[in-house]
Amino acid sequence: MAEPSRPAAGPREPILEVRDLVKHYPLTRGVVFRKQVGAVRAVDGVSFTLHKGETLGIVGESGCGKSTVARLLVGLERPTAGRIRYQGQDITELSGRALKAVRRDIQMVFQDPYTSLNPRMTVGDIIGEPYEIHPEVAPKGDRRRKVQDLLDVVGLNPEYVNRYPHQFSGGQRQRIGIARGLALRPKIIVADEPVSALDVSVQAQVVNLLERLQDEFDLSYVFIAHDLSVVRHISDRVAVMYLGRIAETGTDEQIYDHPTHPYTQALLSAVPVPDPRAREGRTRILLTGDVPSPANPPSGCRFRTRCWKAQEKCAEVVPPLEVPAAFRDTDAPARHPSACHFAAERQAVESERT
């Protein structure tokens, strides 16, 4: 799955717009009189647009804020600041019936198929539970048939409707989770690392299923993962996150073939290449130091403490996510937004040959 298989995305209508999204979790001290002494900056100014019918992949190391973005998009968390617009409507301040209506259109597929399904409920009850919350979608007498149809759509036997989650494999459980996400016929699916807990062969099956369902149900995906090969296979556009912010964004071709941010370059250099001939002469970028704490991130550029391009300016000025000036009036393949002051410059890097 290392090579992209999807055609390049053309101009499409925006369905979801995220602007300056922030989520801080307070750090408190004291037992009786609790006092806030800081905050974990899980998401710290994220902006992107999802177009109708496309897949936006979000990648990055563990702890960079990907899953927090997912929870904010589906309303499981309230943002500290920023805006999420769905079909032009700001949904960050919605509550009650208005929020319930939006949640019907934005559903989530969770990471772990072993913990996201209630072991005390049958498959039929799990997939049919959304109909209990949104009874207007399906009359009671029609729900069992709809559940069986959904099982068939995701490649499972409709007669499994009375079985329990422990009677299924990991890949089958994830298919059940996908069927549950499809029950309300949503317009957007937020998939939070949906294949990371599965075997490689099963990953391919689930990713192919998601691609088929996207065409069949006219879905838009926010696909979150740390496996760069999977993201390239399924995504039209990619956003690379680091320590709560987007470091670089562009089409899959721009990000994978012409990365400009040092963090993206380091990530891609670490992707395993199975072909020994392709590995010959390949440069592996070695990053020094650990990922800083989101409770005390570096000033200026978040990546500067591990970056070989870092200069004094990087500590003083937060780099905007924009097309580098050197590429703006050109047709260069690297003409896409990057949050780096020196994105257009090539500098020596500590590396090793693999």
Side-chain angles (χ1 to χ4, degrees):
M1 286 194 298
E3 296 301 322
S5 63
R6 297 170 63 82
R12 292 168 175 170
E13 172 191 350
I15 189 171
L16 191 72
E17 297 173 275
V18 175
R19 294 292 175 264
D20 303 318
L21 193 63
V22 174
K23 181 61 180 180
H24 292 174
Y25 296 96
L27 295 174
T28 58
R29 183 179 298 163
V31 178
V32 179
F33 301 102
R34 302 193 70 79
K35 179 182 178 182
Q36 184 172 339
V37 295
V40 175
R41 301 168 179 265
V43 177
D44 208 19
V46 165
S47 298
F48 60 81
T49 300
L50 176 69
H51 296 94
K52 193 173 189 292
E54 81 165 350
T55 300
L56 173 68
I58 301 180
V59 299
E61 294 171 286
S62 297
C64 72
K66 307 185 302 294
S67 292
T68 303
V69 169
R71 295 175 67 84
L72 291 169
L73 294 180
V74 298
L76 294 178
E77 301 266 8
R78 289 277 189 178
T80 305
R83 291 287 176 262
I84 302 172
R85 294 187 180 276
Y86 167 64
Q87 293 186 330
Q89 178 188 19
D90 185 354
I91 64 175
T92 51
E93 301 297 332
L94 296 182
S95 60
R97 291 183 179 179
L99 179 60
K100 183 180 176 181
V102 170
R103 279 180 169 168
R104 175 179 162 179
D105 285 347
I106 307 176
Q107 291 290 300
M108 189 166 180
V109 175
F110 294 90
Q111 175 178 0
D112 189 353
Y114 293 92
T115 60
S116 61
L117 304 180
N118 190 331
R120 297 178 180 272
M121 296 174 66
T122 66
V123 167
D125 290 336
I126 289 171
I127 298 174
E129 190 173 24
Y131 300 137
E132 299 291 334
I133 301 169
H134 298 268
E136 72 280 2
V137 177
K140 277 194 174 181
D142 200 30
R143 291 176 189 174
R144 182 180 177 88
R145 181 188 61 79
K146 283 185 172 293
V147 168
Q148 289 180 316
D149 287 345
L150 286 168
L151 282 171
D152 185 51
V153 161
V154 299
L156 295 176
N157 190 331
E159 300 304 317
Y160 291 169
V161 70
N162 292 320
R163 293 190 179 187
Y164 288 86
H166 73 270
Q167 296 175 279
F168 295 89
S169 67
Q172 289 174 322
R173 293 187 198 194
Q174 196 59 291
R175 288 172 185 264
I176 294 167
I178 293 169
R180 176 177 58 185
L182 292 173
L184 300 177
R185 296 300 296 260
K187 294 181 173 63
I188 297 173
I189 292 279
V190 179
D192 184 15
E193 305 220 30
V195 298
S196 64
L198 307 177
D199 293 337
V200 174
S201 59
V202 180
Q203 286 183 9
Q205 295 171 16
V206 172
V207 168
N208 290 336
L209 171 65
L210 288 170
E211 289 184 321
R212 177 174 64 79
L213 293 174
Q214 183 171 35
D215 295 333
E216 188 174 334
F217 288 84
D218 193 23
L219 294 166
S220 304
Y221 288 149
V222 176
F223 189 91
I224 295 169
H226 61 265
D227 189 321
L228 295 167
S229 297
V230 172
V231 170
R232 183 172 197 181
H233 179 81
I234 195 172
S235 299
D236 298 303
R237 290 187 302 115
V238 179
V240 181
M241 282 191 70
Y242 181 80
L243 210 61
R245 292 181 179 166
I246 292 181
E248 186 171 2
T249 184
T251 65
D252 58 351
E253 182 181 359
Q254 288 171 332
I255 296 298
Y256 285 85
D257 296 339
H258 309 283
T260 59
H261 196 284
Y263 176 62
T264 309
Q265 294 168 355
L267 275 184
L268 292 172
S269 79
V271 175
V273 178
D275 185 352
R277 289 170 296 182
R279 280 203 308 267
E280 238 176 85
R282 184 168 175 257
T283 300
R284 168 73 187 275
I285 299 174
L286 302 177
L287 296 180
T288 58
D290 297 324
V291 180
S293 168
N296 185 29
S299 62
C301 175
R302 296 280 171 94
F303 187 61
R304 67 177 176 81
T305 57
R306 305 171 73 194
C307 182
W308 64 93
K309 290 185 178 181
Q311 299 182 27
E312 187 176 340
K313 179 181 181 180
C314 301
E316 299 171 351
V317 181
V318 177
L321 183 64
E322 61 184 16
V323 177
F327 299 142
R328 284 176 198 163
D329 298 323
T330 71
D331 293 326
R335 189 180 181 275
H336 60 273
S338 181
C340 177
H341 294 302
F342 307 103
E345 298 182 15
R346 294 186 175 274
Q347 297 181 14
V349 56
E350 184 180 353
S351 60
E352 64 178 9
R353 291 286 181 178
T354 58

